[in-house]
Amino acid sequence: VAFALTASAQTKVIAHRGYWDCPGSAQNSITSLQLADKIGCYGSEFDVHLTSDNVIVVHHDPTVDKTPIQTSPYKAIKKATLKNGEHVPTLEQYLKAGQKLTTKLILEIKKQKVSSHEDSLVDETVAMVKKYNLQDRTEYISFSGRACERLHAIAPNAKVYYLNGDWAPQTIKDKGLSGIDYDGKVLALHPEWIKQCHDLGLAVNVWTINDLNDINGFIKEGVDFITTNKPVEALKLARPLDR
Ligand code: MG
């Protein structure tokens, strides 16, 4: 365990689309959120889209079965089921479940095809998080720079991380964002960005790291967060001394 003793004790684990790689769960299901909390993840990541009638739904793909979320009313998708039998959750249902937990809600605003629709998704998401008084437990991520800047503008105290990998740390700092949340391949090309972020007071998250050697490598490099489909294993590596 020599690596463990030199590893950063601060690396935290985020379950990618919740903890779903186990019986009875499914990606982006309420169960996956509850299980990520139960196993002790720092956070549980999930994705949101906005229906044509302004219902925020938790789902990764832009379609549910073959129905496009952004251009369909909620009633067209509400009866669809996930692999574990749950219906596709609304953000409201997700936040209500999250209120009973302690894990952070790592909320990804999915890019929407129409900018004004994406702006509505950002605005209504922030309003709903506020309605359920979850501002301190919600952190935002997005591949959309537009969404990140809008999130920061309307929720200046919220943590907002950019996913798309093409903004250097100084750009993130200049835009007032909290840090980077980049593909492991991007950080492999730009290992210097980890220290640059930390020197600027920015946090570093890396996705989606499932190989245990890679998880160890990023822990050793001192990243703040690892987003993974293997949260049980990652937690053991990130916190070897208290397990
Ligand atoms: Mg996501």
Side-chain angles (χ1 to χ4, degrees):
V1 291
F3 66 86
L5 297 174
T6 54
S8 164
Q10 286 112 353
T11 301
K12 296 180 177 74
V13 174
I14 295 170
H16 180 238
R17 305 181 198 168
Y19 178 34
W20 51 267
D21 191 9
C22 56
S25 192
Q27 295 185 2
N28 279 319
S29 65
I30 287 174
T31 299
S32 74
L33 168 65
Q34 292 166 333
L35 289 174
D37 180 78
K38 189 176 175 185
I39 64 174
C41 290
Y42 167 83
S44 188
E45 189 261 358
F46 58 97
D47 309 283
V48 298
H49 292 273
L50 187 67
T51 66
S52 64
D53 53 348
N54 293 326
V55 176
I56 308 164
V57 296
V58 177
H59 200 64
H60 177 268
D61 292 353
T63 55
V64 172
D65 298 334
K66 284 179 180 163
T67 305
I69 300 171
Q70 296 165 44
T71 51
S72 303
Y74 174 59
K75 69 172 196 277
I77 55 170
K78 71 181 289 190
K79 287 183 181 153
T81 52
L82 303 173
K83 281 185 178 155
N84 68 344
E86 278 181 42
H87 292 297
V88 173
T90 63
L91 179 64
E92 187 150 36
Q93 291 164 346
Y94 223 75
L95 296 182
K96 281 182 185 170
Q99 276 189 322
K100 303 188 182 104
L101 309 172
T102 57
T103 196
K104 301 269 191 200
L105 306 171
I106 312 299
L107 194 163
E108 180 178 348
I109 299 283
K110 279 292 183 193
K111 236 178 196 168
Q112 306 293 287
K113 283 189 178 151
V114 176
S115 295
S116 58
H117 196 68
E118 185 174 290
D119 292 348
S120 297
L121 173 59
V122 168
D123 295 356
E124 300 202 13
T125 296
V126 168
M128 190 166 288
V129 166
K130 191 174 178 191
K131 176 182 171 187
Y132 287 95
N133 200 25
L134 285 165
Q135 297 99 312
D136 293 342
R137 284 204 22 238
T138 303
E139 301 180 10
Y140 297 98
I141 60 177
S142 188
F143 282 95
S144 163
R146 179 189 178 95
C148 286
E149 292 184 286
R150 191 171 181 94
L151 284 161
H152 179 60
I154 65 172
N157 294 323
K159 288 185 174 154
V160 180
Y161 301 95
Y162 181 59
L163 291 166
N164 204 41
D166 57 338
W167 285 350
Q170 188 63 53
T171 303
I172 298 284
K173 180 76 177 177
D174 292 344
K175 290 177 183 294
L177 306 183
S178 309
I180 59 173
D181 186 352
Y182 285 175
D183 187 339
K185 295 185 194 87
V186 171
L187 288 187
L189 284 173
H190 293 285
E192 75 281 5
W193 283 1
I194 297 172
K195 183 173 185 301
Q196 285 178 17
C197 277
H198 289 159
D199 288 348
L200 289 166
L202 302 172
V204 178
N205 190 346
V206 60
W207 55 263
T208 301
I209 311 302
N210 302 321
D211 177 273
L212 302 192
N213 286 321
D214 293 341
I215 291 171
N216 260 327
F218 280 115
I219 290 170
K220 276 197 271 190
E221 288 188 53
V223 302
D224 302 282
F225 309 99
I226 291 176
T227 301
T228 179
N229 293 330
K230 296 286 176 194
V232 172
E233 294 84 347
L235 282 166
K236 284 181 188 155
L237 296 172
R239 299 193 306 202
L241 299 181
D242 61 15
R243 298 231 144 204

